[in-house]
Amino acid sequence: MGAQTPSGVDVEQLCSEVAPSGKHHRILPVALSATLGSILFGYDTGVISGALPYMYMPGVAKGLHITAVEEGGVTAILAVGAAFGAILGGRLSDRYGRRHNLLMLAFIFLGVAIGAAVSPNVWWLYAFRFIMGFAVGGASATVPVYLSETAPRHIRGSIVAMDQFMIVLGQLIAFSVNGVVAQASGGPELTVTSDPSGTLSPGVHTWDSVLNLAASHGGTMSAAAWNQFVANLSISGGNGGTWRIMILICSVPAIALWICMHRMPESPRWYATQKRYYDFVGSLKRIRPADSPDLVTEAREGIALSDSLENADRATLKDLFTTPWLRRIFWIGLVLSLANKTSGVDTVMFYAPKVLSYAGLDTSASITLQIVNGVVGIAGALIGILIMSKLPRRRVLLTALGLCAAILLAIAGLFAFVIEPRLAAGGRPPLGVAVAVLMLMALFMLVVQGGNGTVVWALLGEIFPSQIRGLASGIVIAAGWIASAITMFAFPSMMAGIGGGYSYLVFAAINILWLVILAKIMPETSGKSLEEVEVEFRGVSGTEDLARAGDTSV
């Protein structure tokens, strides 16, 4: 008889008796199937950037005739839903299984894609976007866990890193689809049958030609006068419904996620936590080579970890705020999450076409050129994966925050000293200025994806001890989504109210603030085990203290 675990399980006998629970799969197809959820995460967050310009068009032109406040609401409501999804999605995953959660999320993604695409008004769109956000948050809480629990130890880091890469890839796909659809539709346009003011002749007009009559886009009409002008137009049609096609395409990866995950096994580690050891070994054999010498060792470790977690004390919300060292970790994690979400990345991710239209580009070109930010984001994600093992996390993040502030100050300067004076004088900014804004946005995405985002998500996975990891990370991630929602909601009104110069100055100042705070409180975790990180926070050192801390760490 082989060696037994503390719970009395003979692991060697179990591994020899239990057959694989289904068809064998290599780890890469398993990971690619799960990260379709990450692609959906990226697509659903990125697609709105190209859809919003069409939503602004009048209802008779098949748009939604939204205002700047409603634009912020349509964008921000997804982040609010994601905050709930990040917390509840993790709990559902723990209770019912990772694979079960991903199958459920596939149905939600599919249903809300169809529902949002056929929304008759902005209120229905709010509801479906909120549910879509819940699915996004659920995916953010489930996919990394599934990847970490199914991947072999020696490639776990690379497999888990696929999650962030696939999110960025999903955003690039969304930007590309938006660009193709916008070009195929010829850009936003409407058919005017009559104009009482005599400004527009009967016939087809681009929405840009109407928008450019407003003072905010170089015209002579105040906001109130322009709204009245549009209300008085007699319009017989238009292609404002193009946004529905962009959102509906989200159903394709949702269907692919459902089909692919049906073929994949449940997480072996989840079975172990449920004490379902036969299912645990059967699932493990589906994703490990049949002759793997490490199978018994991995099975023994999984069962032993399940035993240890069963006997471990679980921290509560009260402990989080009353235990000094836990409280310190929580506040550091909260600042990291907020620094990531309020960096200004949402102004590029969701509103780049809007910003570029202020800078002088037409709507169709602005939507298409968002692809540049997507491509650079992919490059940034790859760079982030490479530098994580090469450079200290603290230095990378602080440098990234400083660079973000400098880039945003440059964008603020272009708006304050070139773009807005030209618009105020009734002209349009030169093309070179719009190109400069686009290049600065692309550079910003490179820095955020390569430094800010990669380091923050790595740190959030490292600093919390195991007995409070789920609770603490859920709270700080939810707080980050709420901060993101505030940013998304406020930005359109900021652009309309105080202009691009002051708007980007605010975000530059926010990055400087987080830089100062994190320079004082952020620890360095590079090259340290999770046990060593926890010991450092506890304020103890030495091998004896490390051993004492090890019983509450993973």
Side-chain angles (χ1 to χ4, degrees), residues 273-290:
T273 63
Q274 305 299 307
K275 304 294 183 182
R276 295 168 58 177
Y277 295 137
Y278 281 89
D279 291 326
F280 164 53
V281 174
S283 179
L284 190 62
K285 283 189 170 183
R286 290 186 63 183
I287 53 177
R288 298 291 184 268

Side-chain angles (χ1 to χ4, degrees), residues 323-330 465 467 534 537-539 552:
T323 306
W325 72 279
L326 288 177
R327 185 170 62 241
R328 180 185 171 220
I329 294 174
F330 173 76
Q467 73 268 31
E534 180 172 337
F537 277 113
R538 285 176 179 267
T552 58

Side-chain angles (χ1 to χ4, degrees), residues 505-547:
L505 182 63
V506 168
F507 287 105
I510 290 173
N511 278 275
I512 294 172
L513 174 65
W514 295 133
L515 172 61
V516 172
I517 294 174
L518 286 170
K520 294 181 178 295
I521 69 172
M522 179 182 168
E524 181 55 73
T525 62
S526 299
K528 299 176 183 178
S529 69
L530 298 185
E531 289 84 0
E532 289 172 326
V533 172
E534 180 172 337
V535 166
E536 185 175 304
F537 277 113
R538 285 176 179 267
V540 296
S541 60
T543 55
E544 293 182 4
D545 293 323
L546 180 59

Side-chain angles (χ1 to χ4, degrees), residues 262-321:
H262 255 293
R263 302 166 61 88
M264 296 299 125
E266 178 55 86
S267 159
R269 292 299 194 282
W270 181 79
Y271 281 133
T273 63
Q274 305 299 307
K275 304 294 183 182
R276 295 168 58 177
Y277 295 137
Y278 281 89
D279 291 326
F280 164 53
V281 174
S283 179
L284 190 62
K285 283 189 170 183
R286 290 186 63 183
I287 53 177
R288 298 291 184 268
D291 57 349
S292 172
D294 299 325
L295 182 66
V296 173
T297 301
E298 189 170 356
R300 182 179 292 112
E301 290 176 347
I303 294 172
L305 178 61
S306 174
D307 290 341
S308 67
L309 291 177
E310 183 180 39
N311 298 322
D313 293 331
R314 308 305 295 176
T316 65
L317 186 62
K318 180 180 178 181
D319 295 328
L320 191 61
F321 291 103

